[in-house]
Amino acid sequence: MMFKKLMDKPFRLMSIVGIVYIVLMLLLNILTDFSYELSIMPYSRIVSYSAHGTALILCLLTLCFYNKHLLYYAALELLIFSNLYTGRIYTSLFLTSILFILMMLENRLLAKRRLIIYIVLEVAKLALVVPYGVKTFFEYGGIVLFSLATIGCINLLFRHAYDKKDSSGINLDDYRLSDRQKNCIKEIVVNNTTIKALAIDYNVSESSIKKDLSHIYTVLGITGKADLKALFIGYEFK
């Protein structure tokens, strides 16, 4: 039951994984100087401990406020900058790929302002690689561009597949659902709207929305939001 609840709240699950990872890195730092042994930059120890400590706090906050996705994004960015500063280039590349995948899945790069902020941050990351030499700079820049382009293309392929998916097998009108319940399905699937936001929109309590969702899950034979989104991939809402 607990695992199902976590699966329905992916950022809470990711925050737990992030906490475990950061704690392990902190232990490695204490025992072996792992995170800054490759660094040629000053104050690497302070930067590493500060970044990991702050990222740990952000992951703990994400665990409590799992709808505040920006907290988890900030934790990832801190870890990326810290690893670049301390010379762990490939760890930074891995974390950058995770960050970009999350952004693509949540369509966070569609807004011009967010895209500009992301580009500025990537340029700043490239600047941190400069002290490690021209070869490392071009290697990092090339792999970043290749990774992001590949992830972007994969995302497009999935979107095309979703668009072509036959959704004629399900019709909301065939189920005994109120207009509010149908709208809740649309908002969650299309806009990833939270329970709190739905309660505000319909001027009802959060418990009322939770009851609506429970009824929806029962009627459709599913267990949570993840199943709901998967069920309505490619569905054309009226």
Side-chain angles (χ1 to χ4, degrees):
M1 182 64 71
M2 181 63 70
F3 182 71
K4 286 184 177 180
K5 288 183 177 180
L6 286 174
M7 289 295 288
D8 198 35
K9 301 175 179 63
F11 272 83
R12 176 168 281 180
L13 182 60
M14 285 188 288
S15 69
I16 294 174
V17 175
I19 289 168
V20 173
Y21 166 75
I22 294 169
V23 169
L24 287 174
M25 290 301 103
L26 285 171
L27 289 174
L28 278 173
N29 286 347
I30 294 169
L31 298 173
T32 65
D33 296 342
F34 175 78
S35 289
Y36 40 85
E37 62 188 4
L38 302 176
S39 180
I40 61 173
M41 305 291 279
Y43 309 110
S44 295
R45 183 187 295 266
I46 296 173
V47 170
S48 179
Y49 277 112
S50 299
H52 280 80
T54 307
L56 179 60
I57 293 171
L58 289 169
C59 282
L60 287 169
L61 289 172
T62 305
L63 182 62
C64 299
F65 308 103
Y66 56 87
N67 288 324
K68 306 293 183 182
H69 299 177
L70 187 61
L71 294 170
Y72 193 77
Y73 287 120
L76 282 176
E77 286 286 13
L78 268 175
L79 292 174
I80 292 168
F81 273 98
S82 171
N83 278 287
L84 284 175
Y85 189 84
T86 54
R88 308 202 75 84
I89 307 301
Y90 292 103
T91 303
S92 299
L93 284 168
F94 175 71
L95 293 173
T96 297
S97 297
I98 293 175
L99 180 66
F100 190 72
I101 289 171
L102 288 176
M103 287 183 167
M104 292 290 285
L105 290 173
E106 291 203 305
N107 294 323
R108 285 185 173 266
L109 296 178
L110 294 180
K112 184 178 179 181
R113 181 182 176 184
R114 288 177 179 174
L115 182 59
I116 291 173
I117 292 173
Y118 180 77
I119 292 173
V120 170
L121 288 173
E122 288 304 313
V123 171
K125 292 171 190 175
L126 282 171
L128 284 176
V129 183
V130 172
Y132 291 95
V134 176
K135 180 181 177 181
T136 302
F137 174 82
F138 281 105
E139 183 181 26
Y140 176 80
I143 294 176
V144 165
L145 289 175
F146 176 77
S147 299
L148 299 187
T150 302
I151 294 167
C153 290
I154 292 172
N155 183 66
L156 287 174
L157 288 172
F158 273 111
R159 288 186 180 277
H160 288 318
Y162 293 161
D163 290 340
K164 293 178 180 179
K165 181 178 178 291
D166 183 13
S167 60
S168 60
I170 186 169
N171 187 347
L172 282 178
D173 294 332
D174 294 337
Y175 299 91
R176 292 182 179 178
L177 298 172
S178 67
D179 290 338
R180 187 173 77 190
Q181 290 166 349
K182 292 177 183 178
N183 286 331
C184 283
I185 293 174
K186 179 180 178 181
E187 288 298 319
I188 290 171
V189 174
V190 177
N191 300 318
N192 199 31
T193 308
T194 63
I195 291 175
K196 183 177 181 180
L198 288 169
I200 293 172
D201 288 342
Y202 292 107
N203 195 27
V204 296
S205 66
E206 291 186 34
S207 61
S208 296
I209 297 297
K210 289 179 180 178
K211 287 180 181 178
D212 283 340
L213 291 178
S214 178
H215 177 71
I216 290 168
Y217 300 154
T218 301
V219 169
L220 297 178
I222 55 180
T223 59
K225 285 185 180 180
D227 290 341
L228 185 68
K229 292 177 181 179
L231 184 63
F232 285 94
I233 289 175
Y235 185 85
E236 294 184 6
F237 290 93
K238 295 180 181 179

